[in-house]
Amino acid sequence: MDYLLQLAASPTAWIALATLVVMEIVLGIDNLIFISILTNKLPEQHRAKARRIGIGMALILRLGLLSTIAFIVQLTEPVIEILGQAFSWKDMILIAGGLFLLWKATTEIHHSMDPAPDDPKSATSGVTLGFAAAIGQILMLDLVFSIDSIITAVGMTEHLPIMIIAVVVSVLVMLLAAEPLAKFINDNPTVVMLALGFLIMIGMTLIAEGFGAHVPKGYIYAAMAFSAAIEVLNMLSRRAKQKALVDEA
């Protein structure tokens, strides 16, 4: 209790908490975009449930990983060397996650460009398998993003309560933002393609970091913000043209 009171009275601890909360929220954007795109592929009645399960599991994974910080820190130690390049468990997890994101985003882009006709005979079984597959893929990416998130938290502060609060706050923000973001993506098809492009960029970043090439996150998120701003201007332009046509009619 005295330890918690000392933290609460420390301005440095509050600054560290605020900084870490912002960092965790920013890192959660990648996870949230993936969850939104994936759950929008499910039948409408299953989407909200899948999002809640996916984000809830992200919280459970991150809190579980925080309880094993000593083990998580060891994930950054090299365990294998290939052609002179040393790889840790973290590196291999990031590479696997990046490859998965590239595969998933590329597959979704292909389906968007060349959609397959629906098979009414398999509609019922497709819903069940689709839901299970979606949850499985969300959990896989939750694990990748959670490990990255916790290692970032460990690097920023040594106080476990601060890490726990930051993780809980960031996941709660994800939970609140999930529904509006998924609806926005679903209502704007061009945004889907932009979001898939973001996932490809994130996947490439994960692979690069797995191979030891540090990519400043600020550049990545600045590029995403710029692209999103351009898309918003395009959307406003299209709406203005549609409104003009309606007024003329």
Side-chain angles (χ1 to χ4, degrees):
M1 182 61 70
D2 292 339
Y3 170 64
L4 294 178
L5 290 176
Q6 289 176 359
L7 278 181
S10 171
T12 304
W14 284 101
I15 293 173
L17 176 60
T19 304
L20 189 54
V21 166
V22 172
M23 284 295 298
E24 291 292 326
I25 291 174
V26 171
L27 290 173
I29 292 174
D30 306 342
N31 204 356
L32 192 55
I33 290 175
F34 179 80
I35 291 174
S36 298
I37 291 177
L38 200 59
T39 54
N40 280 345
K41 304 291 289 184
L42 295 172
E44 189 170 354
Q45 65 269 26
H46 297 292
R47 294 175 185 175
K49 180 180 178 182
R51 281 192 287 270
R52 288 194 296 268
I53 292 175
I55 295 173
M57 288 305 299
L59 176 59
I60 293 172
L61 278 172
R62 294 180 191 195
L63 292 179
L65 290 172
L66 278 174
S67 67
T68 59
I69 285 182
F71 171 73
I72 295 299
V73 171
Q74 292 177 0
L75 291 179
T76 60
E77 298 295 326
V79 294
I80 190 173
E81 184 173 325
I82 300 176
L83 298 177
Q85 175 71 44
F87 295 95
S88 65
W89 283 112
K90 177 197 173 187
D91 295 332
M92 289 185 281
I93 291 171
L94 289 179
I95 292 171
L99 290 173
F100 175 77
L101 271 183
L102 288 181
W103 169 78
K104 187 62 183 176
T106 303
T107 302
E108 292 298 328
I109 290 174
H110 175 72
H111 287 169
S112 298
M113 300 296 292
D114 186 20
D118 294 331
D119 184 2
K121 295 181 181 179
S122 61
T124 303
S125 60
V127 170
T128 304
L129 292 174
F131 185 83
I135 295 300
Q137 292 177 30
I138 288 172
L139 291 181
M140 178 179 175
L141 261 297
D142 275 346
L143 178 61
V144 174
F145 288 126
S146 294
I147 289 176
D148 192 28
S149 170
I150 297 307
I151 289 176
T152 299
V154 171
M156 293 186 66
T157 181
E158 60 183 12
H159 302 296
L160 185 60
I162 291 178
M163 298 182 204
I164 293 174
I165 293 172
V167 166
V168 171
V169 170
S170 66
V171 173
L172 288 177
V173 170
M174 286 173 59
L175 190 60
L176 292 173
E179 190 69 26
L181 177 62
K183 186 178 185 304
F184 178 75
I185 289 176
N186 190 57
D187 293 343
N188 299 274
T190 56
V191 174
V192 175
M193 197 63 68
L194 181 64
L196 290 172
F198 288 163
L199 291 182
I200 290 177
M201 181 168 62
I202 294 165
M204 291 298 299
T205 302
L206 291 177
I207 293 172
E209 291 186 351
F211 279 96
H214 176 66
V215 181
K217 294 289 175 62
Y219 293 146
I220 302 298
Y221 294 117
M224 291 171 64
F226 179 77
S227 301
I230 296 298
E231 181 59 28
V232 168
L233 292 177
N234 286 331
M235 291 168 58
L236 293 175
S237 175
R238 287 193 295 269
R239 290 179 183 178
K241 291 178 180 178
Q242 291 174 356
K243 183 179 179 181
L245 291 175
V246 170
D247 292 341
E248 291 177 1

